[in-house]
């Protein structure tokens, strides 16, 4: 059972204790950017003093927000630490006097070497070694933000978070079994699709975004888009028909009703055969506090969907990581 | 030549002068939400005191940010004023003590009646009557935000904005001619596509989003997504091939280099036949201050692209507004 924040997180928090942090910039690219959305959701709901913004790293540099100064904390993430834009964003932030904390697998990477503080996390799909989800990018980000809110707002939700994180990996392991029959059922149909949308809101939006752009588009060359569950009704829903494919995330945060509404519409005007619904109410989340279920469900969804992605990859005969044609294959762009 | 802010804008600004506004929430749905992105871009670059957030209206209510209080200003927009989620968001914001300013065509609509202050704007595509783009949703939002920044930060860029807005409609009229041959060339090919992506960054992102979801998806049932020009390189670019279709916006704000990079990649690994580039450097923007060109270019792009959309609609034999099957056709969802 986790009872304390990771030492590197505590150390980074101590180091910025003296600063009067007002603005938090959550900066990354692609899959690493996706975790920043639930990070902001968490801050919006737990801090009365911290403003937060989520930016693609290169947008952050070019936009050059006026509020980026010595009262800002910039949290950056890159799995390998080699994402050029993110390392450049860390350097840019430091030049403006902001505090910088990087999350990466490799402290000795360009990002790791550039940021003032470095937090390590674990990733199964890069290393192939089973991990504890408490130590994943999401887990580490939530620990950092809970610690930060404790410092700035005096609200201590750290014990509840740590205890919840300790029960996360068993919940994920059980979720694989819960969703397996559904994945078996949908994989042969969805593997044949040229377009698959994901639908989500609130804390789940990042997981939907990441599955769309990093898995479906990047690794399987399937056209995709993460559609916000309410924005769906303001244009995108018009593409819904018998053949349209959706993966709908229905989570447990305050926005669940939006995801339910999108699910209901897609099932009513689309075909149940092509609308795959991941409903967190079907999961055994024992030991995870009610207050944190909404935040941890996207990890469960994303982790289980990887299994689905490998099923799709097999059926399409297009291996996952090896399937890329540009990323890490060419470099002069 | 415009020399003063619209009277309703001045009146709303006067009314909130006494409040110590710290947080600006930019709240709407769909096409009306799209203008809020450049609104935030403007605030990020011009205000050191104001924090701003862009939210879908229903997400805003469900998320219920802790910072929504009497020091918050909530700016809402709905063309008809009948968007239920947006009217509900105005009521929710008032119940939390925030100042509310609504933008709509109809002051006597649910949104108009709910918000504390109402700003009218003009829209050609709803009324069919030619308008002055200075009085469009974008124009009114920029005037409001410039007035707000003047009040909170003491920076007066209003004269430059007003003079620039006065030259906007002629610039749009000329842009139609500049882009017409390109639209003639690309329409027959893109009209046959099942998937068309838009690519943009910075102040243009909202226009790309709106064209994707409100025009391509909603009115033409073409699968689409607005891809951020740098995020493109972190996953989505893997779908690029000879058949992939992109509409690339290359504007004049600080993020232009990102849009150029995305354009170059799409042209290199895609086919020039399927990659349509709107480059603002080809436009005659006489009279628009350098400092405002980046902010006004998305209006030019969006307005001209409507002509392109009508060409597509003719070729697909699917009328624009009449082409919807759910929106304003059924109501029980």
């Amino acid at each position: 059972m986790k009872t304390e924040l990771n030492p590197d997180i505590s150390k980074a928090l101590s180091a910025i204790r003296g600063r009067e942090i007002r603005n938090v910039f959550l900066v990354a690219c692609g899959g690493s950017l996706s975790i920043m959305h639930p990070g902001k959701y968490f801050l919006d709901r737990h801090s009365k003093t911290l403003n937060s913004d989520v930016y693609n790293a290169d947008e952050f540099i070019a936009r050059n927000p006026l509020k980026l100064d010595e009262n800002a904390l910039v949290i950056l993430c890159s799995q390998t630490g080699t994402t050029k834009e993110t390392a450049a964003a860390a350097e840019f932030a430091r030049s403006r006097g902001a505090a910088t904390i990087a999350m990466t697998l490799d402290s000795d990477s360009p990002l790791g070497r550039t940021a003032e503080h470095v937090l390590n996390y674990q990733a199964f799909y890069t290393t192939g070694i089973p991990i504890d989800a408490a130590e994943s990018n999401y887990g580490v980000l939530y620990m950092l933000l809970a610690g930060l809110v404790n410092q700035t707002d005096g609200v201590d939700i750290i014990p509840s978070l740590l205890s919840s994180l300790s029960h996360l990996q068993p919940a994920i392991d059980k979720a694989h079994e819960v969703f397996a029959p559904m994945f078996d059922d949908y994989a042969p149909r969805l593997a044949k699709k040229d377009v698959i949308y994901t639908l989500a809101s609130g804390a789940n939006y990042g997981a939907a975004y990441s599955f769309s752009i990093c898995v479906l588009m990047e690794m399987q060359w399937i056209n995709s888009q993460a559609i916000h569950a309410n924005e769906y009704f303001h244009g995108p829903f018009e593409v819904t028909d018998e053949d349209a494919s959706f993966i709908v995330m229905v989570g447990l945060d305050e926005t669940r009703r939006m995801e339910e509404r999108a699910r209901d519409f897609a099932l009513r005007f689309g075909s149940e055969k092509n609308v795959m619904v991941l409903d967190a109410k079907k999961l055994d989340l024992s030991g995870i506090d009610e207050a944190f279920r909404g935040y941890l469900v996207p990890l469960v969804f994303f982790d289980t969907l990887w299994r689905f992605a490998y099923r799709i990859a097999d059926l399409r005969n297009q291996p996952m990581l090896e399937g890329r044609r540009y990323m890490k294959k060419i470099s002069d762009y």
Side-chain angles (χ1 to χ4, degrees), chain A:
Chain A
M1 176 79 95
K2 264 184 109 71
T3 54
E4 287 187 358
L5 294 177
N6 295 357
D8 53 3
I9 296 176
S10 296
K11 199 175 151 198
L13 286 167
S14 293
I16 61 169
R17 202 181 300 267
R19 287 179 181 247
E20 204 182 337
I21 302 295
R22 285 289 166 268
N23 300 295
V24 179
F25 294 99
L26 301 157
V27 173
C29 296
S32 291
L33 181 62
S34 76
I35 67 166
M36 302 302 187
H37 292 288
K40 177 167 173 55
Y41 190 88
F42 179 85
L43 286 178
D44 280 352
R45 294 200 40 85
H46 289 90
S47 177
K48 235 187 129 57
T49 60
L50 296 169
N51 314 302
S52 56
D53 281 309
V54 175
Y55 292 117
N56 162 276
D58 213 15
E59 173 85 25
F60 171 71
I61 297 170
R63 184 180 289 227
N64 189 5
L66 266 188
K67 296 175 76 80
L68 177 63
D69 59 19
E70 61 284 352
N71 296 121
L73 167 63
V74 183
I75 300 171
L76 310 107
C77 182
S78 165
Q79 195 109 303
T80 60
T82 59
T83 311
K84 283 188 186 126
E85 299 93 328
T86 310
E91 192 166 335
F92 175 68
R94 291 195 71 163
S95 77
R96 295 282 297 271
T100 49
I101 299 178
M103 294 169 50
T104 176
L105 300 186
D106 181 6
S107 310
D108 195 31
S109 60
L111 176 62
R113 287 193 303 268
T114 308
E116 223 174 326
H117 309 282
V118 183
L119 310 182
N120 280 113
Y121 66 89
Q122 299 175 2
F124 172 69
Y125 294 103
T126 305
T127 61
I129 303 162
I131 67 158
D132 180 346
E135 309 299 336
S136 66
N137 48 7
Y138 273 91
V140 167
L141 180 62
Y142 285 141
M143 282 192 270
L144 173 62
L145 296 178
L148 188 64
V149 166
N150 187 27
Q151 266 179 212
T152 56
D153 291 64
V155 176
D156 188 5
I157 44 180
I158 298 171
S160 158
L161 170 63
L162 294 177
S163 135
S164 296
L165 283 174
S166 300
H167 293 87
L168 177 57
Q169 191 59 50
I172 291 175
D173 296 340
K174 282 178 279 184
H176 283 298
E177 288 168 44
V178 173
F179 288 142
M182 180 173 72
F183 291 165
D184 286 345
D185 180 15
Y186 280 82
R189 286 189 300 280
L190 295 196
K192 292 186 191 132
K193 297 289 181 181
D194 292 325
V195 184
I196 301 173
Y197 294 104
T198 56
L199 283 167
S201 58
N204 294 321
Y205 182 77
Y209 178 74
S210 188
F211 194 72
S212 274
I213 72 158
C214 302
V215 178
L216 295 177
M217 297 184 84
E218 178 181 323
M219 298 180 187
Q220 291 300 307
W221 309 352
I222 294 172
N223 292 289
S224 188
Q225 172 173 20
I227 302 174
H228 182 275
N230 183 271
E231 288 288 286
Y232 176 54
F233 294 98
H234 298 279
F237 73 159
E238 289 287 347
V239 302
T240 309
D241 63 18
E242 285 287 306
D243 293 323
S245 303
F246 297 93
I247 296 173
V248 191
M249 296 183 177
V250 187
L252 295 174
D253 69 17
E254 296 74 11
T255 73
R256 179 180 167 93
R257 63 173 169 76
M258 278 188 262
E259 297 173 324
E260 289 175 333
R261 185 181 172 213
R263 172 199 65 196
D264 293 346
F265 189 95
L267 285 172
R268 177 175 165 199
F269 294 99
S271 160
E272 201 171 339
K273 295 197 315 287
N274 298 319
V275 178
M276 186 169 83
V277 179
L278 280 74
D279 188 344
K281 283 207 172 158
K282 295 189 175 153
L283 302 174
D284 177 357
L285 302 172
S286 312
I288 301 179
D289 276 6
E290 291 285 342
F292 277 105
R293 291 189 173 190
Y295 298 99
L296 300 187
V297 159
L299 283 88
V300 183
F301 285 165
F302 192 71
D303 201 276
T304 50
L305 276 173
W306 267 95
R307 298 266 178 105
F308 182 68
Y310 274 94
R311 298 291 307 273
I312 296 271
D314 283 345
L315 290 160
R316 292 170 71 87
N317 203 18
Q318 176 165 340
M320 289 285 282
L321 295 175
E322 301 73 17
R324 296 167 178 154
R325 48 188 150 185
Y326 308 123
M327 193 179 284
K328 297 176 189 185
K329 296 278 169 68
I330 56 167
S331 57
D332 60 329
Y333 60 83

